[in-house]
Amino acid sequence: MKLISNTLLDEIAAKAAASPRRRAHHNLHSSPSDLVQRFVVVAQSDTYIRPHRHMTKSELCTIVRGRFECVVFDADGTITERSVVGEGTPNLAFELPSQTWHTLIALTDGASFVEVKEGPYDPATAAEFARWAPEEGGATAAFQGWVKTAPVGARVPSFN
């Protein structure tokens, strides 16, 4: 049996705090070839998750600590939906269908979720990143500032 304990979340949170990407994960599945991929992700509130989509796979995320905001976009970078999920909200999890452009904003340090999606994992096709969003290491602070406050219907401005 595999248990997801508070101690495990604390350990992953420490790794996330020390990581340049400000997030870390722990695989529950044994191999990238497993037909079901399951892992725990822990993020600090200043992490940047570049908007992306999974072309052939849906994903289910269950929040186990803290809060996230899931921001959904159309293909042109217009925000179509914003949903806060986790502690202190009526929402515990979210599922996104394949081909849905999205990002996550960690609203609390050490925010954690368990993600489940179809395998096997192929890094070449796992995610397509949005051209209208900066790459990691680029103008991410400006983009994050915008996406945290932009209303539904707002379109991503240029951050190049």
Side-chain angles (χ1 to χ4, degrees):
M1 176 176 9
K2 295 179 183 177
L3 298 173
I4 301 169
S5 66
N6 285 315
T7 300
L8 177 63
L9 295 180
D10 292 343
E11 290 169 2
I12 304 168
K15 290 178 184 176
S19 166
R21 297 178 80 197
R22 308 292 286 157
R23 65 182 183 272
H25 73 277
H26 174 80
N27 288 348
L28 299 169
H29 56 278
S30 58
S31 164
S33 63
D34 285 2
L35 296 180
V36 179
Q37 303 286 296
R38 304 162 320 279
F39 46 97
V40 180
V41 179
V42 179
Q44 298 300 101
S45 59
D46 58 349
T47 192
Y48 173 63
I49 299 173
R50 186 176 182 191
H52 62 284
R53 66 181 176 174
H54 308 284
M55 291 304 293
T56 60
K57 301 172 185 194
S58 62
E59 63 184 307
L60 171 66
C61 297
T62 302
I63 311 308
V64 294
R65 180 186 281 177
R67 284 185 318 283
F68 287 89
E69 183 166 22
C70 182
V71 182
V72 177
F73 302 86
D74 69 12
D76 296 321
T78 299
I79 296 174
T80 61
E81 186 175 351
R82 305 181 71 101
S83 299
V84 178
V85 184
E87 292 175 3
T89 78
N91 305 308
L92 304 174
F94 63 90
E95 183 176 40
L96 292 171
S98 64
Q99 302 184 35
T100 302
W101 292 104
H102 64 284
T103 188
L104 290 175
I105 300 168
L107 299 176
T108 54
D109 282 332
S112 310
F113 62 91
V114 176
E115 183 169 346
V116 178
K117 61 184 162 190
E118 180 184 352
Y121 174 73
D122 176 3
T125 61
E128 177 184 358
F129 293 101
R131 289 176 284 124
W132 37 260
E135 293 181 24
E136 286 188 36
T140 59
F143 180 85
Q144 284 288 81
W146 176 83
V147 79
K148 285 180 180 180
T149 60
V152 170
R155 185 173 181 185
V156 174
S158 176
F159 286 99
N160 297 327

